Amino acid sequence: MTSRTRLLTAGAVTAAVALAGAGVGIASAAADAPPLAFSLATPNVTAERYVYGDEVYLYLDLGVNVIAGKDPFEVRATRKSYADPIVAQQYVVKNGKRKAVALPAGMVTDWNGLKDFTTVTIKDASGAEVANYQTDFCPNDYSSTRTRRDAPADTPYPQGCNGYNPFNLGAVWGIQAGWNAGIASMPDKENFDLAAGTYTATVSLNQKYRDYFKIPADQATAKINLTVETVREDERGIETAKARVQAAKAGDDTSAKVAAAEHGEHAGQGNTALQVAAYDPAFRPPAKAPRAMKLSSLASGPRPDLRSLPAWGISMSEEDGKTFVNFGATVWNAGTSPLLVDGFRRTGTELMDAYQYFFDAKGKEVGSVAAGTMEWDAREGHRHWHFTDFAQYNLLGADKKLAVRSGKEAFCLANTDSVDYTIPNAKWRPGNTDLSSSCGQNTAVAVREVLDIGNGDTYTQDRPGQSFEVTDLPNGTYYIEVKANPSNKLTELSTSNNTALREIHLGGTPGARTLEVPSVHGLD
């Protein structure tokens, strides 16, 4: 199966074809480039629709991009509280100075990027319109690269806009100077399809963005000759195609999404956690355990600050005659230092001694203290090392007393969510974002697990033993408690913000229970 929509060009695919004389190409010098350019990779695109039985998935990439000019394009979005709206500012350079300028109302309404950025119109060979829809724009493109020779070698900006967590607090979106970000080609709806054949697609920057970014009308529209071909797949191939289409719609890292196996634990960063044996050596600490130090012997300095978000994605399920409440839980680091925990294996056992490490204001390691243990989890769907003292999930009664405790008591730390990248020293491009990078394998002698500043670690609890069994609980009001650092074995700036409660209501009758989840200031 071809891995993605084919871009048919006579020259290099990476060279941007200028739109209406815009002059944006790989050889353009920064001084000649407009602040933002709307560019097209090729006027001829072939899309593939993957078919298996009654299942059809169209993968469409029209190859339209936004390219930043002399300066980076950067937007920061934040909200004071869950009761407040999201406010977005663009950071621009004027007269050599960087300043924040508020974006007009309506451009940013959620965490998915710029709202209704483009309009896509598709007509068939007879000229009849077969599709017309608007797409949002996420500047944090996973496939972003530099488009001219004099552009900076690296980009500092995050990957993905991560709009799925309702309790995000702040986001940073950007395109490095001279780099590109692809514009979404598909509508955000299920079962979008085009029959095999030839079409003309028109992608237009919507008027409010043309006006605000001062992009002339004749440089804000791209026309593409589109050919759609049908590809017959087997059962395995159609699942891969489905993952690719879903990732493309969400603006995720398509290659990681396709490689990911289904996993009942982590969710985040647009990636399902990878169940693979591979382990990034960069996250392997020295095999020898350090000498334990007293915390008092370490100079006061940066510390992590673990905070819990309200439980989200709450649902009810039935299995083997039992009723369960499923939920997602996120703990994030709002501190001044990453949480870094190294585990050192006790030879011949499936236990590691865990140590938390500390750093000074310049990032230099200054010491460590004992922080509990890590254990090998050999169960299907796990098969990695878990840190045992990170979080705890409880279901409390109306009186706030324990009713049910989740069986989830150990964790593999990974930066799955960008909760607030606007706080000082937030790590915009964390290295360990899935289980393959940070959780090790059974042959490991040591493991490093990290939760960086501004990032969260989300677990979805939808398995018996981890979700709450409520089969015999009486109807009434309950609270899902997400509690970070439950045994206070980790050292942080404050423990007063470690707990978050989310109210739920159980009703119905045995075998037909009901679940009501009140919103949090309109957030679900």
Side-chain angles (χ1 to χ4, degrees):
M1 180 177 69
T2 303
S3 61
R4 58 180 297 144
T5 303
R6 295 197 300 271
L7 303 180
L8 305 179
T9 60
V13 171
T14 54
V17 177
L19 282 181
V24 179
I26 195 168
S28 298
D32 300 325
L36 271 185
F38 195 68
S39 82
L40 176 63
T42 172
N44 303 299
V45 168
T46 296
E48 292 169 336
R49 56 193 303 270
Y50 306 107
V51 178
Y52 174 72
D54 295 332
E55 294 184 76
V56 179
Y57 298 99
L58 175 71
Y59 182 76
L60 176 64
D61 180 359
L62 295 172
V64 182
N65 293 265
V66 170
I67 296 179
K70 179 181 178 182
D71 301 309
F73 172 73
E74 182 176 315
V75 172
R76 297 194 181 198
T78 187
R79 60 183 169 200
K80 293 180 180 178
S81 72
Y82 297 137
D84 291 297
I86 298 172
V87 176
Q89 295 179 311
Q90 182 188 1
Y91 281 73
V92 299
V93 177
K94 290 187 176 181
N95 299 322
K97 295 183 178 180
R98 191 168 179 267
K99 60 180 295 185
V101 179
L103 287 178
M107 283 191 177
V108 175
T109 60
D110 54 29
W111 304 110
N112 293 316
L114 300 180
K115 184 71 173 177
D116 294 336
F117 190 71
T118 52
T119 296
V120 180
T121 303
I122 301 176
K123 296 182 179 180
D124 64 18
S126 70
E129 184 174 290
V130 296
N132 184 289
Y133 51 89
Q134 298 192 79
T135 63
D136 300 340
F137 175 54
C138 173
N140 294 347
D141 190 343
Y142 280 91
S143 301
S144 182
T145 57
R146 58 181 171 189
T147 62
R148 61 172 189 258
R149 293 174 60 190
D150 61 345
D154 299 298
T155 177
Y157 294 109
Q159 294 179 301
C161 286
N162 303 310
Y164 61 89
N165 192 321
F167 297 107
N168 283 354
L169 293 167
V172 175
W173 306 320
I175 310 172
Q176 174 65 291
W179 288 52
N180 75 304
I183 291 173
S185 298
M186 302 180 68
D188 186 18
K189 69 176 184 179
E190 296 292 331
N191 303 319
F192 176 67
D193 189 25
L194 295 170
T198 59
Y199 301 85
T200 299
T202 303
V203 183
S204 299
L205 188 64
N206 286 333
Q207 190 67 48
K208 62 182 177 182
Y209 292 104
R210 294 184 193 180
D211 295 342
Y212 184 77
F213 294 121
K214 296 180 173 58
I215 297 177
D218 63 352
Q219 298 176 18
T221 298
K223 289 188 177 181
I224 302 104
N225 301 315
L226 172 64
T227 301
V228 177
E229 296 180 351
T230 296
V231 178
R232 301 291 174 181
E233 288 292 353
D234 57 18
E235 184 173 4
R236 182 175 180 180
I238 200 66
E239 288 302 313
T240 303
K242 179 181 178 180
R244 178 171 290 111
V245 171
Q246 291 173 339
K249 288 182 178 180
D252 291 342
D253 178 358
T254 304
S255 60
K257 195 80 170 185
V258 173
E262 289 190 4
H263 195 286
E265 283 196 303
H266 271 80
Q269 291 287 72
N271 299 334
T272 305
L274 304 184
Q275 292 186 79
V276 295
Y279 174 52
D280 188 338
F283 293 99
R284 187 188 297 273
K288 186 176 181 181
R291 178 176 59 87
M293 303 177 65
K294 292 183 179 179
L295 186 62
S296 59
S297 68
L298 299 172
S300 61
R303 296 285 188 272
D305 185 11
L306 299 180
R307 301 184 185 183
S308 298
L309 299 184
W312 56 283
I314 302 169
S315 64
M316 180 173 281
S317 63
E318 300 281 342
E319 187 169 333
D320 297 330
K322 296 181 179 180
T323 304
F324 298 89
V325 170
N326 312 306
F327 60 98
T330 306
V331 173
W332 73 291
N333 181 5
T336 54
S337 168
L339 171 66
L340 189 151
V341 179
D342 279 354
F344 302 92
R345 192 168 192 160
R346 299 178 190 176
T347 304
T349 74
E350 294 191 341
L351 280 175
M352 292 189 181
D353 295 307
Y355 292 82
Q356 180 183 356
Y357 282 77
F358 301 90
F359 306 86
D360 64 18
K362 295 182 179 180
K364 180 182 178 182
E365 184 180 300
V366 293
S368 64
V369 296
T373 59
M374 293 184 185
E375 61 185 21
W376 174 255
D377 192 330
R379 293 175 296 171
E380 183 69 29
H382 297 268
R383 295 179 180 170
H384 49 242
W385 290 92
H386 277 160
F387 175 54
T388 55
D389 298 286
F390 179 64
Q392 186 180 90
Y393 309 142
N394 301 310
L395 184 64
L396 310 181
D399 58 1
K400 306 291 179 67
K401 293 183 179 179
L402 180 66
V404 181
R405 175 161 290 168
S406 168
K408 180 63 179 172
E409 296 178 343
F411 304 81
C412 169
L413 307 188
N415 297 302
T416 66
D417 296 65
S418 58
V419 177
D420 192 350
Y421 277 0
T422 67
I423 65 175
N425 300 314
K427 187 69 172 290
W428 292 354
R429 295 174 70 88
N432 58 319
T433 58
D434 57 58
L435 305 189
S436 69
S437 65
S438 58
C439 298
Q441 51 193 338
N442 199 25
T443 55
V445 294
V447 166
R448 172 165 296 166
E449 299 187 2
V450 181
L451 188 61
D452 279 305
I453 299 172
N455 288 274
D457 190 6
T458 292
Y459 277 82
T460 55
Q461 302 307 305
D462 53 8
R463 294 181 175 182
Q466 295 183 4
S467 54
F468 300 123
E469 187 192 342
V470 298
T471 309
D472 298 322
L473 287 186
N475 293 342
T477 297
Y478 293 85
Y479 297 89
I480 297 176
E481 179 186 51
V482 180
K483 189 174 184 179
N485 193 15
S487 301
N488 291 327
K489 290 185 178 180
L490 295 170
T491 301
E492 48 178 325
L493 291 175
S494 173
T495 57
S496 65
N497 50 25
N498 287 17
T499 299
L501 300 181
R502 183 75 189 273
E503 182 179 346
I504 65 171
H505 301 156
L506 295 180
T509 58
R513 301 299 300 271
T514 62
L515 172 68
E516 178 187 351
V517 184
S519 67
V520 179
H521 299 293
L523 304 175
D524 293 319

